[in-house]
């Protein structure tokens, strides 16, 4: 075997952020001072034009506002997607949001935000349409992979670090989709109905963290909320977002999610996108309609001034008044765009992040591959890129196909690959000429699969599931997945390989949790879960398989034994009642005492970690408002190789709080050389220790006994300690 380094690599070295390059982000106060001075010179028509998109496919970006002169304010370019630039060439297409979350690595998520910000800046894009932050309320939800899984705290970290990274490079981030837009089924006409506490503690939480991180824009969603369109909902936009959370940036509509002029303007919408009422209808709810509404006194001019001040302030905040580059993309005429390569060395980050987000679900010790490995077999259509090309071309616009190796889902949340390293290429390069590789790339020819794996030292079998946005229907899946089984004969293929080779390793590229009826097959010695790994997928897989990277990815969702163990599915009713309330994801499994197959937060390493000496220190300031609780635990790498542990902290609230049994409220990724130990601190403030009190309409720390559980997953708690508040 020719691969060189079996030592674990310190990923943090690869993901170090070059903060020296970061541009200066202004405070909202300073940004508002500048914005007010400029907006003060604008006429009503000028202000209205800045709030109005010029219509679908009318400009170079997926969204473009009208420019004004005297005073001057440019047309803003708004462009997808959360994982990379859509409809553009020479850009990086790295891991999906769900993988960023699975890394449980704040520095890596920040570094990903920084490289996204750099690429959008260099292409002259003012507003990046991400991060996606909706909750994986059901596993089937089609766009779950764009976001961070089933836990609000984890999505909150993904959101905050992404926003900080993107905006540090001079690009406005967009927290989306606000709010309760958690399934594709009927997304444009259903009403998501959650009670106030559920809304705050589960669904608002990530948006609150994005607002704290200074996010410049928030996108309101297609769905209704208790029967009111999200983009004209006074309660969630004016009262909650701009009131309670103090959001100072602008609310933009999802594409054609604006449904009115007056209720939208008064309900809190600040910008309509892409501007026309329906795509290419050449009219608008804003534009002349908004000007007319001001003249008719149904919308106050001060509201329009507020809208535009929010937009202009976000622009100043990230420094776009200073020599911002001209727009280099041409979304709908790509061959007419200038060739500007903005990729720098971002492929290194794309690779380290893909490796860092690979979850080792099961391992009998077969991984990393032994140096004596002489032959391996690779089976399944996922081992190679599609024969129709890495981006699927016309038949699969916006990646709306599962054809060959899967490294992102489908819809507007996609970015074309500049290249895609498939597993065959990645493993061939990493293992070198000394290892013989046999392949079968059919999912259906079980005989060919059995023949390919016969006699191989180790057999890898690949399978996948896919999902995306509802405007693309693939294999009968209208965005959401129709089932939680593997696609394309996956279960049969895995069984056929395992029957024929006693050292079978299953590799699943999935948008989310799947059922694993074969998990107890005695020949299945390991299961790897690389998720949606982006352009460097195959190289990153090889890094983990060879042990060049010691895996530390963790599941951002629960994998159940049976589909019936889950309590939420996409709901076909017009009124979608969030009747499970706080019991989403593992909170439900804990509450109902259901044993998952693989719990939230689970992921193995090639080494082992022990936990000891948990101590909890409570500091209360005079008024109890600034309470801070610090948990300190000693973590030791007690195994044989270097590696990183994800130390997770779950809090149990006092019984009187009526909270789920435990909730993630902190985590740290710590890299430890073998034999080394470190004290890890996790701090909880009022944010982490509060519940939403519906009577007080406020975040309140319940009084009584709290318990902090520290461990390696939600079901692998190693140390617990209680404290009173
Ligand atoms: C606003 O935009 C419309 C549409 O492009 C344009 O006709 C009009 O002149 C603009 N008004 C101002 C004041 O910029
Ligand atoms: C830029 O993208 C174009 C179109 O995909 C491709 O032909 C070209 O090779 C790319 N150039 C670089 C430097 O990546
Ligand atoms: C809701 O929208 C979907 C998809 O656009 C459509 O198929 C369905 O008929 C609509 N339902 C109602 C009640 O309007
Ligand atoms: C809108 O304008 C475009 C371009 O001028 C034209 O192609 C299209 O047919 C118009 N749409 C409608 C609904 O009038
Ligand atoms: C104003 O809005 C109405 C729908 O309320 C629409 O029919 C009309 O075309 C809009 N006017 C303009 C000038 O866009
Ligand atoms: C689940 O859906 C996929 C994709 O549409 C399909 O290939 C597969 O056959 C379905 N599985 C089951 C068990 O229905």
């Amino acid at each position: 075997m020719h691969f060189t380094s079996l030592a674990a690599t310190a990923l943090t070295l690869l993901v170090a952020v070059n903060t020296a390059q970061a541009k200066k982000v202004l405070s909202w106060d300073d940004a508002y001072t500048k914005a007010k001075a400029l907006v003060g010179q604008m006429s009503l028509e000028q202000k209205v034009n800045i709030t109005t998109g010029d219509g679908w496919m009318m400009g170079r970006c997926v969204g473009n506002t009208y420019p004004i002169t005297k005073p001057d304010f440019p047309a803003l370019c708004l462009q997808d997607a959360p994982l990379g630039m859509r409809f553009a060439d020479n850009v990086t297409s790295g891991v999906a949001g769900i993988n960023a979350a699975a890394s449980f690595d704040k520095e890596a998520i920040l570094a990903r935000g920084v490289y996204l910000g750099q690429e959008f800046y260099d292409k002259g894009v003012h507003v990046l349409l991400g991060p996606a932050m909706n909750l994986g309320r059901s596993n089937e939800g089609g766009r779950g992979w764009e976001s961070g899984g089933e836990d609000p705290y984890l999505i909150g970290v993904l959101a905050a670090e992404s926003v900080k990274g993107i905006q540090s490079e001079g690009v406005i981030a967009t927290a989306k989709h606000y709010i309760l837009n958690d399934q594709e089924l009927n997304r444009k006409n259903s009403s998501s109905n959650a009670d106030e506490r559920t809304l705050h503690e589960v669904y608002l939480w990530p948006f609150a963290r994005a607002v704290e991180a200074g996010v410049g824009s928030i996108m309101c969603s297609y769905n209704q909320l208790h029967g009111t369109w999200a983009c004209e909902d006074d309660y969630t936009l004016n009262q909650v977002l701009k009131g309670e959370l103090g959001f100072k940036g602008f609310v933009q509509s999802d594409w054609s999610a604006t449904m009115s002029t007056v209720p939208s303007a008064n309900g809190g919408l600040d910008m309509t996108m892409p501007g026309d009422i329906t795509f290419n209808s050449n009219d608008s709810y804003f534009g002349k309609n908004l000007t007319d509404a001001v003249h008719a006194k149904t919308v106050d001019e001060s509201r329009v001034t507020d809208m535009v001040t929010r937009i202009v302030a976000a622009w100043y905040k990230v420094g776009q008044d200073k020599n911002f580059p001209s727009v280099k993309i041409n979304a709908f005429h790509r061959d007419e765009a200038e060739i500007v390569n903005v990729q720098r060395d971002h492929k290194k980050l794309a690779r380290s992040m893909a490796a860092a987000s690979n979850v080792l679900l099961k391992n009998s010790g077969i991984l990393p591959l032994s140096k004596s490995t002489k032959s391996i077999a690779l089976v399944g259509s996922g081992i190679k890129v599609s024969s129709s090309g890495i981006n699927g071309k016309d038949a699969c616009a916006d990646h709306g196909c599962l054809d060959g190796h899967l490294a992102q889902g489908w819809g507007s949340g996609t970015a074309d690959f500049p290249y895609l390293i498939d597993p065959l290429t990645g493993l061939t390069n990493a293992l070198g000429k000394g290892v013989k590789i046999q392949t079968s790339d059919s999912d259906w020819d079980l005989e060919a699969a059995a023949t390919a794996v016969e006699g191989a030292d180790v057999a890898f079998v690949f399978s996948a599931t896919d999902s995306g946005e509802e405007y693309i229907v693939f294999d009968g899946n209208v965005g959401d997945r129709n089932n939680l089984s593997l696609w394309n004969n996956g279960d049969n293929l895995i069984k056929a390989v395992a029957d024929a080779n006693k050292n079978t390793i299953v590799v699943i590229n999935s948008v989310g949790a799947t059922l694993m009826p074969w998990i107890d097959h005695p020949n299945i010695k390991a299961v790897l879960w690389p998720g949606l790994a982006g352009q460097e997928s195959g190289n990153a897989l090889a890094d983990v398989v060879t042990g060049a990277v010691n895996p530390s990815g963790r599941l951002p969702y629960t994998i159940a034994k049976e589909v019936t163990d889950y309590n939420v599915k996409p709901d076909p009713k017009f009124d979608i009642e969030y009747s499970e309330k706080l019991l989403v994801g593992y909170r439900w499994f804990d509450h109902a005492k259901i044993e998952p197959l693989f719990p939230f937060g689970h992921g193995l390493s090639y080494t082992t970690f022990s936990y000891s000496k948990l101590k909890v220190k409570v500091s209360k300031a005079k008024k109890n408002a600034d309470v801070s609780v610090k948990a300190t635990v000693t973590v030791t790498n007690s195994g044989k190789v270097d590696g990183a542990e994800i130390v997770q902290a779950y809090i149990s609230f006092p019984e009187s709080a009526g909270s789920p049994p435990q909730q993630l409220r902190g985590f740290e990724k710590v890299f430890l050389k073998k034999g080394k130990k470190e004290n890890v601190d996790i701090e909880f403030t009022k944010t982490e220790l509060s519940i939403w009190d519906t009577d007080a309409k406020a975040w309140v720390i319940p009084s009584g006994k709290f318990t902090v559980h520290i461990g390696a997953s939600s079901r692998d708690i190693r140390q617990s300690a209680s404290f009173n508040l």
Side-chain angles (χ1 to χ4, degrees):
M1 204 164 202
H2 289 245
F3 52 85
T4 42
S5 164
L6 271 169
T9 327
L11 285 168
T12 41
L13 291 179
L14 288 169
V15 299
V17 183
N18 188 352
T19 41
Q21 289 173 346
K23 297 172 177 66
K24 193 168 167 3
V25 176
L26 295 187
S27 69
W28 279 117
D29 282 350
D30 289 349
Y32 263 68
T33 303
K34 290 181 183 234
K36 281 178 179 163
L38 190 69
V39 173
Q41 304 166 43
M42 293 178 191
S43 68
L44 173 63
E45 287 74 15
Q46 287 179 319
K47 289 183 225 177
V48 164
N49 274 12
I50 290 173
T51 69
T52 307
D54 68 1
W56 178 239
M57 293 178 80
M58 301 305 278
R60 297 177 68 115
C61 307
V62 296
N64 312 270
T65 56
Y66 290 112
I68 63 163
T69 50
K70 294 184 188 167
D72 295 347
F73 191 78
L76 298 182
C77 161
L78 296 80
Q79 189 68 13
D80 296 309
L83 66 69
M85 204 179 304
R86 185 181 179 209
F87 298 148
D89 296 294
N90 315 111
V91 297
T92 303
S93 184
V95 302
I98 196 70
N99 276 57
S103 76
F104 279 72
D105 184 332
K106 290 175 215 175
E107 281 176 50
I109 297 169
L110 177 67
R112 175 176 177 267
V114 168
Y115 91 61
L116 287 168
Q118 287 174 345
E119 296 198 358
F120 279 66
Y121 183 94
D122 289 347
K123 293 269 192 184
V125 176
H126 297 86
V127 183
L128 185 162
L129 303 175
M133 300 161 48
N134 295 105
L135 199 96
R137 179 175 176 254
S138 69
N139 288 292
E140 292 88 346
R143 300 186 76 176
W145 61 270
E146 294 183 47
S147 179
E150 70 185 26
D151 181 81
Y153 181 89
L154 179 59
I155 303 174
V157 170
L158 172 68
E161 299 306 317
S162 300
V163 166
K164 283 185 225 161
I166 292 164
Q167 296 197 159
S168 73
E169 296 303 313
V171 171
I172 297 169
T174 308
K176 71 184 193 184
H177 311 81
Y178 190 74
I179 194 169
L180 307 185
N181 180 192
D182 308 308
Q183 65 178 50
E184 291 304 284
L185 181 59
N186 295 336
R187 66 172 178 171
K188 286 182 171 164
N189 54 24
S190 59
S191 178
S192 299
N193 306 331
D195 64 86
E196 243 186 76
R197 181 171 178 189
T198 302
L199 178 82
H200 279 79
E201 291 188 22
V202 182
Y203 299 91
L204 183 67
W205 176 291
F207 288 95
R209 306 291 83 79
V211 170
E212 286 165 1
V215 71
S217 184
I218 288 188
M219 183 189 288
C220 52
S221 52
Y222 286 119
N223 53 289
Q224 301 174 43
L225 303 162
H226 291 296
T228 301
W229 296 108
C231 288
E232 57 186 54
D233 185 44
D234 176 73
Y235 174 65
T236 51
L237 295 178
N238 288 332
Q239 294 185 50
V240 176
L241 185 59
K242 295 177 179 177
E244 280 168 26
L245 301 187
F247 173 58
K248 294 281 193 292
F250 63 98
V251 175
Q252 58 169 299
S253 68
D254 202 339
W255 266 229
S256 303
T258 308
M259 296 294 171
S260 64
T261 299
V262 177
S264 296
N266 292 337
L269 181 68
D270 302 308
M271 178 189 281
T272 188
M273 275 292 146
D276 35 18
I277 291 180
T278 56
F279 285 2
N280 302 121
S281 59
N282 303 335
D283 52 8
S284 184
Y285 284 122
F286 280 15
K288 184 171 184 301
N289 269 325
L290 184 54
T291 311
D292 290 350
V294 172
H295 290 140
K297 301 201 186 309
T298 47
V299 173
D300 201 283
E301 182 164 359
S302 66
R303 176 72 261 275
V304 178
T305 304
D306 176 48
M307 292 177 182
V308 70
T309 305
R310 288 169 173 276
I311 298 166
V312 175
W315 179 79
Y316 275 122
K317 183 174 171 59
V318 300
Q320 293 183 348
D321 54 319
K322 299 187 191 75
N323 302 316
F324 194 78
S326 61
V327 179
K328 308 289 192 308
I329 60 171
N330 200 335
F332 305 105
H333 307 278
R334 268 165 75 167
D335 46 1
E336 291 168 23
E338 293 170 56
I339 296 205
V340 186
N341 184 358
V342 298
Q343 296 166 93
R344 306 188 192 194
D345 62 352
H346 299 157
K347 66 179 180 189
K348 288 187 192 160
L349 282 161
R351 179 171 178 167
S352 63
M353 189 107 198
S357 55
N358 194 338
V359 186
L360 178 62
L361 290 180
K362 174 177 168 158
N363 186 17
S364 66
I366 194 169
L367 285 172
L369 286 188
S370 137
K371 284 184 184 169
S372 61
T373 306
K374 296 279 189 311
S375 62
I376 66 168
L378 302 178
V379 174
S381 62
I383 68 173
K384 284 187 190 166
V385 296
S386 158
S387 54
S388 49
I390 51 175
N391 292 308
K393 297 304 161 212
D394 297 344
C396 327
D398 287 332
H399 295 262
C401 295
L402 175 55
D403 183 12
H405 184 62
L406 184 78
Q408 61 185 308
W410 77 67
S412 66
T414 57
D416 280 351
F417 296 117
Y419 60 84
L420 174 57
I421 307 291
D422 58 33
L424 177 57
T425 307
L427 285 165
T428 302
N429 291 342
L431 299 179
K433 290 201 179 68
V435 177
K436 190 178 159 212
I437 301 184
Q438 301 156 191
T439 66
S440 168
D441 64 0
S442 165
D443 295 324
W444 300 93
D445 189 341
L446 303 183
E447 268 175 51
T451 308
V453 304
E454 219 175 79
D457 291 343
V458 177
F460 289 86
V461 54
F462 291 76
S463 191
T465 78
D466 203 355
S467 73
E469 205 174 345
E470 56 96 47
Y471 68 88
I472 295 172
V473 180
F474 183 66
D475 200 18
N477 297 268
V478 190
D480 298 332
R481 277 187 285 169
N482 288 336
N483 65 63
L484 295 184
S485 296
L486 291 171
W487 287 29
N488 292 338
N489 207 31
D491 291 336
N492 293 328
L493 184 70
I494 290 167
K495 191 168 174 302
V497 169
D499 283 346
N501 188 296
K502 65 181 192 328
N503 290 324
T504 294
I505 298 175
V506 178
V507 184
I508 308 288
N509 291 104
S510 178
V511 287
T514 67
L515 302 172
M516 304 186 185
W518 33 262
I519 191 71
D520 294 323
H521 194 297
N523 290 345
I524 293 179
K525 299 290 165 57
V527 179
L528 268 172
W529 194 262
L532 304 174
Q535 69 189 39
E536 286 283 339
S537 185
N539 284 334
L541 178 69
D543 288 340
V544 169
V545 164
T546 59
V549 170
N550 188 349
S552 59
R554 298 292 182 263
L555 278 181
Y557 38 72
T558 302
I559 298 183
K561 290 181 175 167
E562 306 287 341
V563 68
T564 47
D565 290 345
Y566 292 114
N567 59 338
V568 182
K569 284 208 299 200
D571 191 336
K573 288 194 294 296
F574 175 80
D575 274 298
I576 302 170
E577 303 299 339
Y578 281 45
S579 52
E580 77 286 358
K581 297 178 188 271
L582 306 175
L583 299 177
V584 290
Y586 65 88
R587 291 161 169 79
W588 161 251
F589 284 75
D590 290 344
H591 169 87
K593 301 191 165 58
I594 299 169
E595 200 193 327
L597 183 57
F598 295 111
F600 175 87
H602 170 75
L604 302 173
S605 168
Y606 297 151
T607 186
T608 52
F609 296 92
S610 63
Y611 290 64
S612 60
K613 297 187 191 143
L614 173 61
K615 282 195 203 66
V616 175
K617 187 164 170 272
V618 178
S619 330
K620 269 191 233 178
K622 279 181 209 110
K623 283 182 187 148
N624 202 15
D626 291 325
V627 63
S628 155
V629 175
K630 192 162 87 180
T632 304
V633 68
T634 305
V635 179
T636 308
N637 181 341
S638 48
K640 293 193 174 64
V641 288
D642 304 345
E645 174 72 325
I646 311 293
V647 181
Q648 301 165 42
Y650 297 84
I651 297 270
S652 296
F653 284 78
E655 239 176 80
S656 61
S659 294
Q662 57 170 2
Q663 313 193 69
L664 185 71
R665 283 291 186 265
F667 62 81
E668 290 297 333
K669 179 171 176 174
V670 279
F671 179 82
L672 290 170
K673 291 203 169 292
K674 62 180 171 184
K676 294 288 174 198
K677 63 182 171 187
E678 195 174 303
N679 288 339
V680 178
D681 291 333
I682 300 185
E683 204 179 328
F684 314 101
T685 64
K686 181 166 192 246
T687 302
E688 288 78 27
L689 299 169
S690 295
I691 62 166
W692 179 257
D693 184 320
T694 310
D695 295 329
K697 299 212 179 298
W699 291 98
V700 169
I701 300 178
S703 49
K705 188 177 105 177
F706 287 74
T707 306
V708 53
H709 308 279
I710 307 273
S713 87
S714 62
R715 293 287 178 112
D716 184 7
I717 301 302
R718 308 289 183 85
Q719 301 248 291
S720 297
S722 295
F723 54 94
N724 285 293
L725 291 176

